[in-house]
Amino acid sequence: MILIISGTNRPNSKTLKIAKCYQQLLDRKSIESDIFSLEDLPANILETDLYGKRSTAFEPIQEKISKADLFIFIAPEYNGSIPGALKLFIDCCTFPISFYHKKVALVGLSSGRYGNLRGIDHLTGICHYLRMHVLPLKIFLPNVQNELNDEGQLFKEDTLQFINEQIEEIIRF
């Protein structure tokens, strides 16, 4: 099963909208997927789920991570990299079973002009350290506010073409 990670805990984020668009595109191809939004992380995760500790609130999240075969990380740019909440989430997941030798596709987005290029490079390094298999085709969505219509859907033909190409590669991956 593919698990799409909406990589920010910001409420009502464009990141979650992009994650939902990915899920819709996968659904159209009859590919099973689920979304985990970092909005759903326990509020006290710093105290309860680091350094080998596991809270009952994080157990169902960990179960979802452990069952996933492939991940799609949707990562917005925060200060030239990924959100701290995304790194914290990765650090809280049980090592090594959560990510070792699993596949991952990466999508960066930003309100600026580079689509989180540096953040996705950083996330690629983290994924390699975790021995994940990273899909070479990465998607970057600069000026993401211009990519979504009023209904929160991607609408630009060239963007959809690139994302569909990535989805086809995910299916073959």
Side-chain angles (χ1 to χ4, degrees), residues 1-5 22-23 26-27 30-36 64 67-73 103-105 167 170-173:
M1 196 249 322
I2 296 175
L3 185 59
I4 304 165
I5 305 292
Y22 263 79
Q23 186 176 43
L26 288 164
D27 284 346
S30 300
I31 304 296
E32 182 185 357
S33 66
D34 195 7
I35 294 176
F36 177 70
K64 193 178 276 200
K67 286 183 179 179
D69 301 312
L70 190 147
F71 297 91
I72 300 172
F73 282 97
K103 298 173 182 178
V104 63
I167 288 173
I170 289 168
I171 292 167
R172 288 190 299 269
F173 193 30

Side-chain angles (χ1 to χ4, degrees), residues 131-145:
R131 297 187 188 175
M132 296 183 85
H133 305 284
V134 180
L135 183 73
L137 179 58
K138 300 167 187 170
I139 298 294
F140 302 97
L141 299 172
N143 301 306
V144 70
Q145 64 279 3

Side-chain angles (χ1 to χ4, degrees), residues 78-115:
Y78 281 29
N79 299 314
S81 189
I82 60 172
L86 178 55
K87 180 62 168 76
L88 176 63
F89 162 72
I90 293 168
D91 289 345
C92 288
C93 290
T94 301
F95 182 83
I97 65 165
S98 297
F99 302 111
Y100 252 42
H101 302 291
K102 293 187 180 181
K103 298 173 182 178
V104 63
L106 303 176
V107 179
L109 58 103
S110 70
S111 58
R113 55 178 27 196
Y114 299 110

